[in-house]
Amino acid sequence: MDHMISHKELTLKKVKEILDKHLQLKLGKEAEASIVKCRTYLDSKMDDYENPVYGVTTGFGSLCNITIPKDQLSQLQHNLVMSHACGTGERVRPEIVRLMLLFKIQSLSYGHSGVQLITVQRLIDMFNNDILPVVYQQGSLGASGDLAPLAHMSLPLIGLGEVCWKGEVKPSAEVWKAFGWEPIRLQSKEGLALLNGTQFMTAHAAWSLIQAERLSDWADKIAAMSLDAFDGRIEPFLAEVHKVRPHKGQIETAARFRELLHGSELIRQPKVHVQDPYSFRCIPQVHGATKDTIRYVKSVIETEMNSATDNPTVFPDQDLIVSAGNFHGQPIAIPMDMLTLALSELADISERRIYKLVSGERGLPSFLVAKPGLNSGFMIPQYTAASIVSQSKGLCMPASADSITSSQGQEDHVSMGANAATKLVRVVDNTERVLAIELFNAAQALQFRRPLHSSWKIEKIFAAYRKIVPFISDDSYMHPFIEKSIEFIQTREIE
């Protein structure tokens, strides 16, 4: 099954489908024609040395006033890719590198970048054959594009750098030889078109959004189990409450909880307590705010996925080549910082519910074991959750609040969106782990409420979970159970 690269809008839903179903990419006729038209137009401009074009017939950054002889333009682009591959740190995970390739292909397909058709096709070949460039997390300022990581992504095109293929890291030249491919001789502007752009940031953001939608869904399900296990009240979720403060996410969350807990014996039983703690009572407001943030960030990233973000921007029909700033990451850096905070808050409130479940309140035993003292029970999973939440709070400092001047002052304000992107991924992982620990606790607590049962939806989740994580009667080695809990919410789709 193929996905056609075209000018049709690329959605996050489609991106997820491309990843999940391992769809092959194919360049549509409209996109192919646009690429060829733009390259032909750019070639026609090569003799006009009276009017130098940034990055096409000049140097880069603060070297923009140096005109390059025509016979050196290809070497200029080759040198650009080599010299800018200065990434370091941890390797970017493969699924995000795949998205970098996809989004770079999409961006180049609009015919505003001036690349050769063979360059785009080779990127497609890499994607389709699961040949993933080795890219590093650190090195991009998030303006002038994601220069360093996109240089690492582009090195294989010219026969340099390394790729991950069939589970092994190999020199790209070795893999190219196996496929019978020759390195591409980059033409004017091509290196700049490859390196300018926001695809490193956008790939991290899109991957994080896919996870965020999943984690938001699980946060509701797990919190509903915790609410019932804690003998919580349903009144804070009644529709009337949220009609008078009608934030969309808040209304959606309250409705979801009424649905999830419909038919529960526990939620219907008479309550001694008048109120629940905020971590239960204010779930609609907190989870709802995260939903609203996800919705907003998704709209921004879907726009970015469908944009030409290199520089200069070429408009063949208008006979126009404009040096501007579409590579600047600020439009997505701030939303990524927002999403980091929104996901961190899902973990923050989750940890508070974990704490209440082990506190020995409302008829639950201390630390959720029948013989506390001899057994520590679920004491330390809460410590682990607290540690993770504390780390995420530190990662919530907005990267987009910073800027450090580069390139001799020519690039004097940058977005730092790449740092926003990489720490967003860390917070996604952290939030997933805390929610898994809450599920571990909530299932244990729910079992102490027998013979009463929760709703059929919650009991369905509980039954599936119990197939891989048992009830803890006496102290056990907990780490494997936490790991299985993480795997459970990663791989299970339970309605």
Side-chain angles (χ1 to χ4, degrees), residues 293 296-297 333-344 398 400 424:
T293 302
Y296 165 67
V297 176
I334 293 173
M336 283 191 290
D337 281 332
M338 291 172 60
L339 185 59
T340 300
L341 178 59
L343 289 174
S344 179
S400 56
L424 169 58

Side-chain angles (χ1 to χ4, degrees), residues 173-378:
E174 182 180 322
V175 177
W176 262 226
K177 187 176 180 180
F179 279 86
W181 297 342
E182 292 293 327
I184 291 172
R185 186 173 186 271
L186 297 177
Q187 300 302 303
S188 61
K189 192 189 177 298
E190 281 203 280
L192 199 61
L194 290 165
L195 271 54
N196 270 189
T198 63
Q199 286 75 38
F200 176 84
M201 291 179 278
T202 307
H204 282 75
W207 181 87
S208 297
L209 277 166
I210 291 169
Q211 310 314 314
E213 291 184 335
R214 176 177 60 84
L215 293 177
S216 176
D217 178 60
W218 269 113
D220 287 348
K221 293 171 182 174
I222 294 166
M225 185 182 291
S226 292
L227 179 71
D228 235 7
F230 193 62
D231 194 25
R233 303 187 69 105
I234 196 63
E235 287 84 353
F237 301 87
L238 296 180
E240 289 77 6
V241 174
H242 306 285
K243 286 178 182 176
V244 298
R245 196 198 192 195
H247 292 292
K248 188 172 183 180
Q250 183 175 325
I251 291 171
E252 288 174 351
T253 304
R256 184 84 193 284
F257 271 69
R258 295 195 302 274
E259 175 194 358
L260 284 168
L261 292 169
H262 179 71
S264 168
E265 295 173 339
L266 288 163
I267 210 74
R268 291 199 309 263
Q269 70 176 349
K271 310 295 178 184
V272 175
H273 45 276
V274 176
Q275 286 186 337
D276 291 328
Y278 286 0
S279 56
F280 293 93
R281 190 177 4 142
C282 299
I283 288 171
Q285 291 77 12
V286 178
H287 286 208
T290 295
K291 286 183 178 67
D292 287 335
T293 302
I294 292 170
R295 195 176 354 256
Y296 165 67
V297 176
K298 181 178 178 180
S299 72
V300 173
I301 299 305
E302 286 189 332
T303 296
E304 193 74 2
M305 284 169 8
N306 293 283
S307 300
T309 57
D310 60 291
N311 179 61
T313 311
V314 185
F315 300 92
D317 292 339
Q318 290 80 22
D319 189 18
L320 196 60
I321 303 175
V322 183
S323 183
N326 275 353
F327 50 65
H328 203 292
Q330 200 76 6
I332 59 174
I334 293 173
M336 283 191 290
D337 281 332
M338 291 172 60
L339 185 59
T340 300
L341 178 59
L343 289 174
S344 179
E345 280 300 290
L346 281 186
D348 197 358
I349 194 170
S350 173
E351 185 278 328
R352 290 293 78 198
R353 292 190 294 264
I354 294 167
Y355 179 83
K356 298 305 291 185
L357 289 171
V358 301
S359 294
E361 300 178 33
R362 299 190 181 181
L364 292 173
S366 290
F367 304 113
L368 298 177
V369 283
K371 297 177 182 178
L374 175 63
N375 295 296
S376 296
F378 282 70

Side-chain angles (χ1 to χ4, degrees), residues 3-15 18 30 99 102-113 198-199 202-203 206 297-310 326 332:
H3 167 71
M4 193 72 68
I5 297 293
S6 68
H7 297 174
K8 183 180 178 182
E9 183 178 351
L10 187 62
T11 65
L12 192 69
K13 181 179 179 181
K14 188 64 181 182
V15 168
I18 291 169
E30 178 188 24
L99 289 178
L102 171 63
F103 296 149
K104 177 55 76 174
I105 292 163
Q106 185 70 33
S107 182
L108 297 177
S109 74
Y110 295 114
H112 295 298
S113 303
T198 63
Q199 286 75 38
T202 307
V297 176
K298 181 178 178 180
S299 72
V300 173
I301 299 305
E302 286 189 332
T303 296
E304 193 74 2
M305 284 169 8
N306 293 283
S307 300
T309 57
D310 60 291
N326 275 353
I332 59 174

